[in-house]
DNA sequence: CATCATCATACTGCATGCAATAATTTGAAG
DNA sequence: CTTCAAATTATTGCATGCAGTATGATGATG
């Protein structure tokens, strides 16, 4: 009997999605980068049909933008979308923090600490991995809630945030300060829901701020206002 | 010059998605109903390829479930997924209420009142339309925030809720009490963010309760507990 | 009459091909 | 040397066909 080599087809599409998501989050793919179907198909060893389906999914997630008869491109979120994404992310991850503070197990705490330690290593070794692990930390937390839909949305919104940072953030530097992650874990370990939620929202706000995304009420760029100081007399 | 008849292809897929979403929300399609690709293609006048893409999208949204080599079916959310969906929905729509209380315009209030009036008519005339308009009310609110991502997630989660109600709710009766919608609009009209959020969360909790979904800590169905009263002596 | 194996049918998974549209190059004119 | 138009190439949009897997029917057997 032959070894079971056959892959789920749904998984073939999801695999490509996952690979592209990762490439986007790691900033190997940048907003505006073109994603031709056959190039994609060649890369992954599938036909355009499959590549196309993956692009459709990613478009639904907001990571890719499709326009008729045009090559798919990595999406460039508008500044409003970026801001909105972070605000929703804060709300959802506050839910995660609240939920976990009540239910987290010692094993999960250990796993989180290990993850943060891995981040610390990667932070020096590999920029791409550091960015990815920073996002993974949040996905890991969401997964620990055991709430499947919450996990799904947190994951999606985390990826979108990554894209927003790619578009508007400065070069990595410290998008996701490891120290802040550690504090979140500490609050969870104590079972302090308020502190956990506070650390989480503070952390995410800081990330958004670093991306200059949350600037309260984006300056309206009104010509008259700008020129006022230059008007003589 | 010929009339522009050509449709966006992305829209062809989205149109099918939209039609299926509506059929699901109106309970024309029920959890477990089969969705063969060619039957779908025939219905919409497209090939299986397109139908398949639509199914992929809907699966990503959790409305359809796909298993390799099996016909797609309308998803049957687990009770945990249903509960989770409602909890997330409450969080997101609280955001909507809060956001709108501060920014809503008189025109928007008028539009909302008209919508509620339409609901009242439909409530007597057409069960399917009543259900659809009830969901549309929430989508309409979300759209009014002008926050594109928030609108997207509220919409998605509202549809998922509809599916959950389809699976676990009793026959329509009053899933979405119109009176509760009216109170939300009133709170928004006053610009009272707290009241709006309160009415909204109360309303959604009530909807969830009617579906028997939010039963605090689903009874564990522990055999010993169940049998205890039957143990003699 | 019920149960199970075998075959026929239906359906999915995927690549490919054709038509239509955009992108790019080429070449001609200024 | 630049600019613009026409032709050429690249790419998308979509249907279809083939192979492989489930589903349902048929008939054999206990």
């Amino acid at each position: 009997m032959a070894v079971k080599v056959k892959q789920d087809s749904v998984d073939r599409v999801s695999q490509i999605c996952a690979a592209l998501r990762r490439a986007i989050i790691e900033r190997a793919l940048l907003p505006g980068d073109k994603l031709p179907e056959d190039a994609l198909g060649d890369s992954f060893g599938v036909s355009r049909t499959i590549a196309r389906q993956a692009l459709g999914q990613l478009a639904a997630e907001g990571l890719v933008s499709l326009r008729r008869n045009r090559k798919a491109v990595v999406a460039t979120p508008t500044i409003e979308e970026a801001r909105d994404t972070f605000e929703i992310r804060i709300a959802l991850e506050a839910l995660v923090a609240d939920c976990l503070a009540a239910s987290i197990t010692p094993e999960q705490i250990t796993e989180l600490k290990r993850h943060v330690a891995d981040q610390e290593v990667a932070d020096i070794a590999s920029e791409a991995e550091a960015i990815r692990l920073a996002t993974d930390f949040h996905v890991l937390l969401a997964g620990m809630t055991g709430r499947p839909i919450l996990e799904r949305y947190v994951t999606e919104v985390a990826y979108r945030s990554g894209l927003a940072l790619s578009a508007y953030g400065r070069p990595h530097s410290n998008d996701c300060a490891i120290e802040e992650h550690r504090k979140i874990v500490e609050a969870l370990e104590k079972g302090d829901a308020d502190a956990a939620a506070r650390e989480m929202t503070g952390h995410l706000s800081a990330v958004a701020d670093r991306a200059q995304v949350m600037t309260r009420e984006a300056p309206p760029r009104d010509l008259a206002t700008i020129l006022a100081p230059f008007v003589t007399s």
Side-chain angles (χ1 to χ4, degrees), chain A residues 41-55:
Chain A
D42 289 349
S43 296
F44 291 101
V46 298
S47 78
R48 289 199 306 122
T49 309
I50 304 303
R52 190 181 176 75
Q53 282 189 55
L55 289 172

Side-chain angles (χ1 to χ4, degrees), chain A residues 106-202:
Chain A
E107 294 75 35
Q108 290 176 324
I109 292 286
T110 307
E111 191 177 353
L112 287 172
K113 285 181 175 170
R114 190 172 56 237
H115 188 96
V116 173
D118 288 350
Q119 273 192 259
E120 212 150 0
V121 173
D123 211 39
I124 305 162
S126 156
E127 173 117 350
E129 201 180 343
I131 305 179
R132 181 167 53 77
L133 288 179
T135 298
D136 281 353
F137 175 77
H138 293 269
V139 173
L140 184 59
L141 280 174
M144 287 179 175
T145 62
R147 294 172 53 173
I149 318 291
L150 183 57
E151 180 182 1
R152 185 188 173 281
Y153 286 121
V154 167
T155 305
E156 193 171 311
V157 97
Y159 276 100
R160 280 176 104 123
S161 301
L163 182 59
L165 288 172
S166 193
Y168 298 107
R170 348 190 186 331
H172 184 48
S173 63
N174 47 3
D175 279 351
C176 229
I178 292 176
E179 194 49 44
E180 292 169 13
H181 282 186
R182 207 186 318 271
K183 278 191 189 151
I184 293 168
V185 176
E186 278 169 23
L188 289 175
E189 190 168 17
K190 286 184 204 143
D192 186 341
D194 282 348
R198 199 166 354 102
E199 291 295 342
M200 179 64 89
T201 56

Side-chain angles (χ1 to χ4, degrees), chain A residues 63-77:
Chain A
L63 297 183
V64 157
S65 91
L66 299 176
R67 281 165 49 205
R68 174 155 188 106
N69 286 325
R70 295 226 141 71
K71 285 184 250 224
V73 296
V74 176
T76 307

Side-chain angles (χ1 to χ4, degrees), chain A residues 69-99:
Chain A
N69 286 325
R70 295 226 141 71
K71 285 184 250 224
V73 296
V74 176
T76 307
T78 65
I79 193 81
E80 287 83 15
E81 286 169 342
R83 195 178 0 254
D84 198 10
T85 300
F86 273 104
E87 285 183 17
I88 291 165
R89 182 172 181 184
I90 288 171
L92 291 179
E93 296 216 38
L95 242 50
V96 169
D98 189 61
C99 178

Side-chain angles (χ1 to χ4, degrees), chain A residues 83 87 209 213-219:
Chain A
R83 195 178 0 254
E87 285 183 17
D209 279 343
V213 155
M214 295 299 266
T215 52
R216 285 278 145 234
E217 212 47 48

